[in-house]
């Protein structure tokens, strides 16, 4: 049954009310108790002092020879000292033997058991609750002086009893006693108050708050978005906080699922994408094979008929291939008009040709326009860790030979790769030797100021008027052991170029391999040490391989940040590992994956993912950069989503010299 909610204000009001009620009860009980205690304890002390005063007065007079009548006069005067006080004295038997028996007093003693007890030597205090009178019976002991008259007594014997009565409201209380009782009562009241307050606050607020905190910490530790906070409380504010947090988890889970779907699913064709393909390849067995398909001249269809027509054809083509395959295989879209099929079995060249014939029979329509598509296939019989590379070689060979299908074999691999590697290895060695490796600068625009304030430094090889991009030589550099040499050249040239520029930021790309290379790191940190504007430097980490050693990487990041430089992650949103990076590394900037950016205007899911990533990044105090901005519409959308910096050919192409604003590439 749902508890009735109560606000903090109402709870505090109830707590204060409960404490006041309890306080009044405690005050009443304590007052009554203190009164009774005071009457018994203080009255005893007061009465004893009064009795001693009376006794000493009487004793003095008796030594002077005063008789009973004279003493009665003294007693009468003493009674006037305190209002309502009465004093009587009674002789013991030994005193009566010498001075005579007073019959009236004798009868009183015989009829009063309390006087009899006092005659036996016991001090007696009694309080009459109805009349409020305090009665004190004081035994008068024989002293040395008394024996001169009371010759039949010895020291310590009872000579008689003083019977003193007075009202309890006339008790004389010392200031010390009042102070002590007040302190005791005040401490007692504070203890009761604290216990009540702690019990209620602890039960109603502290325990639910602790439970809420523990649940949140558990969710944070497990990173399980399906968990929910569930605390036992009827405090309105805590319940609202709990429900809001659970709703936030639900929203995050929704967008996270959408994001994961986008990571694995091609948004246009709804087929599994390259990321999903790479995972599925790891699960393949020896009975399966792979086909790489490319729709010939699809770029021409795109240019002539437009993106909408081209997208419709791709969707129809995907559906047709999926239908023809049935349960025999699975199709993936990996890029533009390129598809991969993992086939559940082995295919002969004749089998593949029959598939191609079936594809060619298919007619694709868009309104009144009909299309028949021609495809080229590269086939790999065995699936291993190089299957995608081998399929690309086979497809490339088929295109170069104008064939519809080529089945991969080692001869194709050696012929193609060896020639390419030899050619570019020579170019690369010559470029390093002749100082042809140069940086170019890709501008980034700040959306808030609409000004170019940053540049990404990219590597190029310049041979005369020809400039080569990294896709031509980077793989060869890695294979031939020249990769770190290129990185080191870039570090030196970039820092030299920006040495006197204080108003521009720049980023340098680093892979995990660079970070692991000691010589490269020494060159980087030497330049950061010397560079007086190191706060303008951004180290951009490339996801060339999955990062698992976060301890090593965080050591590198911490050292970079000790120079006030910043850290960026490239291609964010391209895989789940990106999220692992921002959770485990102290980064400052994320660069959105280009596949998300280029589709942000045409694909609603991409737009939603981008908006979510930007919001998430800003919540984590991270800056967001979007690359591949190719037109004004994309720029406007990204600006509206709150992206901090834009980069792409629409913003500006890589430049040889940003100071002269010339020689743009």
């Amino acid at each position: 049954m749902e508890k009735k909610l109560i606000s903090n204000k109402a709870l505090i009001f109830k707590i204060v009310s409960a404490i006041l009620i309890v306080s009044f009860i405690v005050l009443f009980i304590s007052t009554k108790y203190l009164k009774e205690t005071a009457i018994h304890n203080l009255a005893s002390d007061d009465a004893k002092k009064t009795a001693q005063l009376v006794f000493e007065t009487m004793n003095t007079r008796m030594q002077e020879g005063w008789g009973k009548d004279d003493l009665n006069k003294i007693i009468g005067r003493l009674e006037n000292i305190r209002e309502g006080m009465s004093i009587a004295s009674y002789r013991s038997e030994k005193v009566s033997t010498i001075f005579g028996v007073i019959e009236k007093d004798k009868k009183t003693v015989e009829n009063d058991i309390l006087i009899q007890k006092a005659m036996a030597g016991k001090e007696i205090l009694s309080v009459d609750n109805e009349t409020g009178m305090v009665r004190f019976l004081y035994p008068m002991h024989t002293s040395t002086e008394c024996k001169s008259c009371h010759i039949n007594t010895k020291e310590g014997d009872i000579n008689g009893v003083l019977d003193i009565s007075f009202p309890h409201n006339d008790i004389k209380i010392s200031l010390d006693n009042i102070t002590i009782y007040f302190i005791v009562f005040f401490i007692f009241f504070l203890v009761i108050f604290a216990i009540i307050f702690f019990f209620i606050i602890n039960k109603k607020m502290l325990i639910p708050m602790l439970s809420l905190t523990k649940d949140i910490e558990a969710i944070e530790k497990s990173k399980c978005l399906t968990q929910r906070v569930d605390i036992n409380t009827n405090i309105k504010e805590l319940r609202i906080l709990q429900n809001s947090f659970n709703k936030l988890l639900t929203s995050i889970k929704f967008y996270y699922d959408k994001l994961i779907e986008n990571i694995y699913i091609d948004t246009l064709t709804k087929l599994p994408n390259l990321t999903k393909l790479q995972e599925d390849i790891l699960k393949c067995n020896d009975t399966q094979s792979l086909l790489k398909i490319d729709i010939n001249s699809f770029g021409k269809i795109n240019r002539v008929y437009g993106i909408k027509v081209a997208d419709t054809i791709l969707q129809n083509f995907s559906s047709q291939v999926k239908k023809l395959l049935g349960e025999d295989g699975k199709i993936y879209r990996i890029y533009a008009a390129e598809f991969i099929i993992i086939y559940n079995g082995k295919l002969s060249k004749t089998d593949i040709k029959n598939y191609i014939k079936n594809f060619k029979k298919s007619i694709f329509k868009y309104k009144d326009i009909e299309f028949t598509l021609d495809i080229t296939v590269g086939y790999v019989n065995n699936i291993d860790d190089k299957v995608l590379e081998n399929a690309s070689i086979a497809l490339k060979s088929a295109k170069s030979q104008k064939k519809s299908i080529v089945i991969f074999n080692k001869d194709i691999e050696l012929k193609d790769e060896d020639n390419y590697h030899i050619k570019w290895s020579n170019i690369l060695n010559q470029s390093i030797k002749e100082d042809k490796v140069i940086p170019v600068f890709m501008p980034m625009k700040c959306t808030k100021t609409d000004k170019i304030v940053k540049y990404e430094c990219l590597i190029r090889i310049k041979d005369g008027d020809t400039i080569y991009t990294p896709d031509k030589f980077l793989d060869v550099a890695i294979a031939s052991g020249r990769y770190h040499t290129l990185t080191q050249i870039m570090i030196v040239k970039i820092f030299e170029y920006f040495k006197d520029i204080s108003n521009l930021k720049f980023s340098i790309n680093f892979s995990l391999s660079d970070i692991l290379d000691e010589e490269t790191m020494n060159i980087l940190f030497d330049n950061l040490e010397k560079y007086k504007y190191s706060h303008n430097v951004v180290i951009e980490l490339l996801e060339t391989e999955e990062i698992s050693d976060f301890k090593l990487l965080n050591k590198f990041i911490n050292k970079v940040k000790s120079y006030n430089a910043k850290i960026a992650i490239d291609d964010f949103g391209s895989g789940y590992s990106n999220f692992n990076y921002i959770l485990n590394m102290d980064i400052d900037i994320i660069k959105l994956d280009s596949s998300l950016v280029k589709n942000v205007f045409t694909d609603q899911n991409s737009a939603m993912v981008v908006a979510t990533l930007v919001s998430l990044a800003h919540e984590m105090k991270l800056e967001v950069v979007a690359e591949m901005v190719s037109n004004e519409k994309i720029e406007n959308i990204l600006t509206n989503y709150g992206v901090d910096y834009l980069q792409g050919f629409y913003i500006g192409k890589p430049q040889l010299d940003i100071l002269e604003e010339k020689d743009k590439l």
Side-chain angles (χ1 to χ4, degrees), residues 647-659:
Q647 177 182 345
F649 279 13
Y650 180 75
I651 304 301
K653 296 181 180 180
Q655 304 167 26
L656 286 171
D657 191 345
I658 60 174
L659 299 181

Side-chain angles (χ1 to χ4, degrees), residues 283-339:
K283 304 173 187 176
C284 288
N285 55 53
D286 295 338
T287 64
Q288 295 172 292
S289 56
L290 185 142
L291 300 88
K292 185 172 184 178
I293 301 171
D294 181 59
I295 301 174
N296 298 329
S297 303
F298 191 77
K300 186 175 182 179
I301 296 174
N302 204 341
R303 289 191 301 273
V304 174
Y305 295 99
I307 294 175
K308 191 172 183 180
V309 175
D311 287 350
T312 302
I313 292 173
L314 286 175
Q315 290 170 337
N316 292 336
F317 176 79
S318 302
S319 300
Q320 185 65 22
V321 175
K322 195 172 181 180
K323 182 178 179 181
L324 288 170
L325 275 175
E327 299 297 324
D328 293 334
K330 189 174 181 180
I331 182 171
Y332 305 77
R333 185 192 179 202
I334 59 170
Y335 178 75
E338 290 186 359
F339 297 82

Side-chain angles (χ1 to χ4, degrees), residues 98 336 370 436 529 621:
I98 298 174
E370 293 185 352
K436 295 179 179 179
E529 181 73 33
K621 310 301 182 186

Side-chain angles (χ1 to χ4, degrees), residues 88-309:
S89 64
Y90 304 98
R91 293 174 177 175
S92 66
E93 291 182 1
K94 289 183 177 182
V95 174
S96 297
T97 300
I98 298 174
F99 296 103
V101 176
I102 301 174
E103 292 299 329
K104 180 181 177 183
D105 290 351
K106 182 180 179 182
K107 289 181 181 180
T108 301
V109 172
E110 289 175 351
N111 294 326
D112 194 326
I113 192 169
L114 294 180
I115 298 176
Q116 295 171 20
K117 288 181 179 180
M119 287 293 185
K122 184 177 181 181
E123 292 182 359
I124 297 174
L125 174 74
S126 67
V127 179
D128 190 331
N129 292 325
E130 292 183 2
T131 63
M133 292 299 292
V134 177
R135 184 185 182 193
F136 183 69
L137 298 172
Y138 178 72
M140 295 181 288
H141 293 272
T142 302
S143 63
T144 303
E145 295 82 2
C146 295
K147 290 193 296 180
S148 60
C149 296
H150 302 164
I151 56 175
N152 63 338
T153 64
K154 61 180 181 296
E155 190 172 341
D157 286 348
I158 305 300
N159 284 337
V161 172
L162 280 176
D163 186 355
I164 302 173
S165 298
F166 54 86
H168 63 67
N169 56 10
D170 193 40
I171 295 173
K172 302 298 187 294
I173 303 174
S174 69
L175 181 60
D176 287 343
N177 287 333
I178 294 174
T179 303
I180 291 171
Y181 278 108
F182 176 78
I183 291 173
V184 170
F185 173 77
F186 185 73
I187 293 174
F188 178 74
F189 177 77
L190 285 181
V191 170
I192 295 295
F193 182 92
I195 291 172
I196 296 172
F197 190 81
F198 174 79
F199 176 78
I200 299 175
I201 292 296
N202 186 58
K203 182 178 180 181
K204 292 294 185 180
M205 297 186 70
L206 296 183
I207 292 177
M209 281 292 290
L210 181 61
S211 177
L212 178 66
T213 304
K214 285 183 177 179
D215 285 356
I216 292 174
E217 287 177 346
I219 292 172
E220 181 184 9
K221 186 175 181 180
S222 67
K223 296 181 174 60
C224 179
L225 297 178
T226 58
Q227 285 184 250
R228 293 294 178 267
V229 173
D230 185 15
I231 58 175
N232 183 23
T233 181
N234 63 340
I235 302 302
K236 183 178 180 181
E237 289 81 2
L238 290 178
R239 187 64 66 86
I240 291 173
L241 183 60
Q242 170 188 280
N243 294 339
S244 298
F245 184 80
N246 287 337
K247 286 179 182 178
L248 178 61
L249 286 177
T250 301
S251 299
I252 293 173
K253 180 68 168 59
F254 173 78
Y255 288 112
Y256 175 79
D257 290 341
K258 286 287 185 182
L259 186 60
I260 293 299
E261 180 183 338
N262 189 69
I263 290 170
Y264 289 107
I265 302 297
D266 176 62
T267 54
L268 176 64
T269 62
K270 305 306 178 186
L271 294 176
N273 60 14
L274 177 60
T275 304
K276 181 62 175 171
L277 170 66
Q278 290 170 332
E279 288 191 5
D280 288 351
I281 284 175
L282 299 175
K283 304 173 187 176
C284 288
N285 55 53
D286 295 338
T287 64
Q288 295 172 292
S289 56
L290 185 142
L291 300 88
K292 185 172 184 178
I293 301 171
D294 181 59
I295 301 174
N296 298 329
S297 303
F298 191 77
K300 186 175 182 179
I301 296 174
N302 204 341
R303 289 191 301 273
V304 174
Y305 295 99
I307 294 175
K308 191 172 183 180
V309 175

Side-chain angles (χ1 to χ4, degrees), residues 18 111 180 198 256 349 377 397 423 480 531 560 565 572 611 620:
N111 294 326
I180 291 171
F198 174 79
Y256 175 79
K349 196 167 187 177
V377 177
S397 178
K423 172 188 173 183
S480 63
Y531 186 47
V560 168
F572 190 83
M620 300 181 72

Side-chain angles (χ1 to χ4, degrees), residues 419-619:
N419 290 336
Y420 187 88
H421 190 278
I422 292 169
K423 172 188 173 183
W424 276 101
S425 184
N426 290 332
I427 293 174
L428 191 59
N429 290 335
Q430 195 70 16
S431 299
I432 293 172
K433 184 178 179 180
E434 297 176 2
D435 195 26
K436 295 179 179 179
V437 178
I438 63 167
V440 294
F441 311 100
M442 185 81 166
M444 298 185 201
K445 183 167 73 173
C446 176
T447 57
K448 294 181 178 63
T449 63
D450 203 37
K451 293 181 180 179
I452 302 299
V453 295
K454 287 186 179 184
Y455 288 88
E456 181 180 4
C457 302
L458 305 171
I459 190 169
R460 298 288 188 268
I461 289 178
K462 189 174 186 297
D463 187 8
D465 294 332
T466 304
I467 294 181
Y468 297 108
T469 53
D471 58 302
K472 300 289 194 304
F473 58 84
L474 205 56
D475 288 341
V476 176
I478 294 171
S480 63
R482 299 289 193 277
Y483 174 76
H484 295 309
T485 302
L486 295 180
T487 303
Q488 293 163 16
I489 292 171
M490 285 289 288
I491 293 171
V492 173
K493 289 194 173 185
I494 290 167
F495 275 96
E496 177 63 22
Y497 186 87
F498 283 92
K499 66 179 181 180
D500 295 319
I501 303 174
S502 63
N503 62 340
L504 290 177
K505 297 182 183 294
F506 63 91
S507 65
I508 310 175
N509 294 323
F510 276 80
S511 67
L512 182 60
S513 176
D514 290 319
I515 297 171
L516 293 172
D517 185 73
E518 184 177 354
E519 185 178 356
T520 302
M521 290 299 95
N522 288 337
I523 293 173
L524 170 64
F525 291 121
D526 283 345
N527 279 272
L528 279 172
E529 181 73 33
K530 297 172 186 176
Y531 186 47
K532 57 185 176 182
Y533 307 116
S534 57
H535 59 278
N536 287 334
V537 180
V538 178
I539 302 300
E540 193 168 317
L541 300 178
L542 303 174
E543 193 183 358
T544 53
E545 57 246 292
E546 184 173 351
I547 298 168
S548 58
D549 191 354
F550 289 107
K551 185 176 180 181
L552 169 70
L553 203 58
N554 279 318
K555 183 178 179 182
F556 166 75
I557 290 173
N558 290 336
K559 190 166 183 180
V560 168
K561 289 198 166 190
S562 69
Y563 296 99
N564 294 320
K566 291 188 175 182
I567 298 292
I569 288 287
D570 195 25
D571 294 332
F572 190 83
S574 62
Y576 173 77
S577 58
N578 290 151
F579 294 93
N580 202 23
Y581 298 164
I582 64 173
L583 289 173
N584 289 281
M585 298 190 305
D586 184 17
I587 64 172
D588 306 291
I589 303 166
I590 62 171
K591 292 189 75 173
L592 298 177
D593 182 57
S594 57
S595 64
L596 295 173
V597 174
K598 69 181 182 180
N599 292 324
V600 73
F601 182 70
T602 58
D603 181 67
Q604 186 176 1
N605 286 333
S606 292
M608 182 174 64
V609 170
V610 169
T612 302
L613 288 177
V614 173
S615 177
L616 176 64
H618 287 166
E619 283 290 325

